[in-house]
Amino acid sequence: MLDPADLDAADPLAFARGRFRIPDGLIYLDGNSLGVLPKSTPARLGVTSEQEWGDGLISSWNAAGWIDWPLSIAARLAPLVGASPDELLICDSTSINLFKLAMAACALRPDRKVILTEEANFPTDLYMLQSAAKLSGAELRAVPRSELSAALDQTVGLLSLTHVDYRSGERHDLAGLTGEAHRAGALTLWDLSHSAGVLAVDLARANADFALGCGYKYLSGGPGAPAFLFVRRGLQQLCTNPLPGWFGHESPFDFDTGYRPATGIARFQTGTPPILAMAALDEGLKLFANVDTADVEAKTGRLGDLFIENVGDCLALASPRDAGRRGGHIVFAHDAAYSIVQASIERGVIGDFRAPNLARFGFAPLSLTYSEVAKAGAIVRDVVLSDYWREPRFAERKAVT
Amino acid sequence: MLDPADLDAADPLAFARGRFRIPDGLIYLDGNSLGVLPKSTPARLGVTSEQEWGDGLISSWNAAGWIDWPLSIAARLAPLVGASPDELLICDSTSINLFKLAMAACALRPDRKVILTEEANFPTDLYMLQSAAKLSGAELRAVPRSELSAALDQTVGLLSLTHVDYRSGERHDLAGLTGEAHRAGALTLWDLSHSAGVLAVDLARANADFALGCGYKYLSGGPGAPAFLFVRRGLQQLCTNPLPGWFGHESPFDFDTGYRPATGIARFQTGTPPILAMAALDEGLKLFANVDTADVEAKTGRLGDLFIENVGDCLALASPRDAGRRGGHIVFAHDAAYSIVQASIERGVIGDFRAPNLARFGFAPLSLTYSEVAKAGAIVRDVVLSDYWREPRFAERKAVT
């Protein structure tokens, strides 16, 4: 078994832990749902609200650079996903961005009437793709993961997948499937919500077309943080934003009655950027400055391995055992998964439950130590083996998020 | 001329001024673009970030009530626009909400292929309506304001207008035009961005169908604050949200692969609510608690009248002289409007310039006193009559917002 103290001593990301505020005694393994708070964020919100908004008022759109934040904050994300800064934008929500990009992609392949996805994709992806397909005169075809390659026929205009499955943690081969899609004449749209910030995503090397992701998970942007979107540079000028708000106009403050899209990625903006929320996301992204994504991915995998080893065989692993095939989280299947999660929370280990029978634990590599992850695994093991989870108070279902 | 000191002494809204942070020496007449900061907002952002997010983490979705904020914060807005709390939602941006509601409306009138608007509508409204029309198989017809009534024929499925014009400040007769549209068989969609918080908007009395508006102007929700939307109760169950994200699902945390819309207004949610930004908007809306909208509208009108009287005839009024036909802002036309605005800013009066020749000044009734508005009018008058604006440093165009 790996020695957690040795791993911590050699951890090139160890410096980051102290930059997060983590409640005493808590081992938080739910950063895949809501990332922990960077210590710098409250003060940044103070500056943005009091100095920039309160004192600077309207002049801060220029003086504080607010007008550029959708692009300038996105630039901090670029190395994490293997993109150029001019291929990324911070805006709207994951759901909205999925709609924008799926519609844009369909318009580029008018003769191909199928959006292909997998049936176990995250629900909001399925819902938004369904709507985008309908409005594009296309059809959403959702197949089992194992049938994706075979389904890539000449009717498919867009392959839209989530890189890391929100339940199993299983990772798609992003580069491989992008290549397959391209050889079949289709474009690709990747949801990186569960991979940005934990894996060494490389959109450029994969020659990926479109991507997007969430700001509030591993990027620690805060609850409901703005999302990001990516469009490969070569496609940008060909694309139409189906939600063409004034901030995507070539010159918003000309107040033209006719829409002229901005050059490049900026055309994917819609409404006025949410400045306070973007300030918080900026603080989360700053913590990744000068971090090597190879180190990030390596630590993510080792944290998961360590947890699996410490939990042992008392729970059935429902994620790939090979870290190279996983994202940042791991699930175990057990009929009493709900109660096991609740009992573990009472013992200070925060995971979450996913119906019908999954206990899920996420491993944010910047804010976790190997030692606490090993300890958390041992706690969960004890909760299961001691039958602690059978206490009646853990049986009652509460609303979970 | 009205005596500003007398008006301040009798002002039922005078209590509110002290609740805003306004920089010393500034007379801020741009609350129609970005409302001033409520003093309570920075501390609220501290609580939401440090205690709720930092300490409560994922549990705050339930424990802090985050999950309900899109509806519970909207409830504070209800009396300001004459709606029931269950007809309002805080979500997304004004542009996105316009798209959602225009698409929903078009789907309710499939045999009528025209969305009618006015050609001087705010640009983002025109752009989003254009896209919604195209995706609905409809046509956007934009006519001069004077031809709206005549254009309401049997081809029109939706009349979409901005209640108060962003340049002239001219107010539409919301109830009258809604009635005309209904008699012609059309639905109505009102953009209240420039009227919520300054006028006694009464959507119920007008029997309005759809509405939306901006959180960052008179509602003081902060730069890029989340927007709101309204759907008349009787229409809600008939409506389809074209952006059907997981938060609009009947039961988001069942993670269904099939979309089932939530009952009522909640179906118009899309992605995860932006909690930090919503906390700020909540503080802005709290300042309207127990405020009578009749007092709000009366003060807005009197502030405008007082400013017009103090500016006098040195500038040509390009807004209605009758306060009953205006919203919260006033524009004056002058070939040197840009320089006059810049020179006034240097003298402590913040207005803004709108091309080609308009100087615009907004009158937020909660944060302004009659005395300072009278003084601001006198300052602008002096800037014009003394030719102060001719100083060369006021000639150079900078980016304006």
Side-chain angles (χ1 to χ4, degrees), chain A residues 228-239:
Chain A
F228 65 88
L229 63 76
F230 161 91
V231 180
R232 179 159 58 82
R233 193 186 296 108
L235 291 176
Q236 291 171 8
Q237 293 305 106
L238 308 172
C239 284

Side-chain angles (χ1 to χ4, degrees), chain A residues 129-140:
Chain A
L129 289 173
Q130 184 73 59
S131 183
K134 188 177 166 197
L135 291 171
S136 299
E139 168 207 341
L140 179 64

Side-chain angles (χ1 to χ4, degrees), chain B residues 233-245:
Chain B
R233 194 186 294 107
L235 290 176
Q236 291 171 8
Q237 293 306 107
L238 308 173
C239 283
T240 300
N241 179 355
L243 301 174

Side-chain angles (χ1 to χ4, degrees), chain A residues 13 31-32 80-81 163-164 171 192-201 217-219 288 292-301 303 323 326-329 362-366 368:
Chain A
L13 303 176
N32 50 303
L80 292 186
V81 295
H163 188 195
V164 171
R171 189 198 310 186
L192 305 176
S193 291
H194 283 277
S195 46
V198 282
L199 298 182
V201 178
K217 298 178 184 291
Y218 298 109
L219 304 181
F288 287 90
D292 187 329
T293 57
D295 291 337
V296 163
E297 179 164 326
K299 183 173 177 184
T300 299
L303 288 170
R326 294 194 309 257
H329 65 273
F363 303 94
L366 261 55
L368 288 168

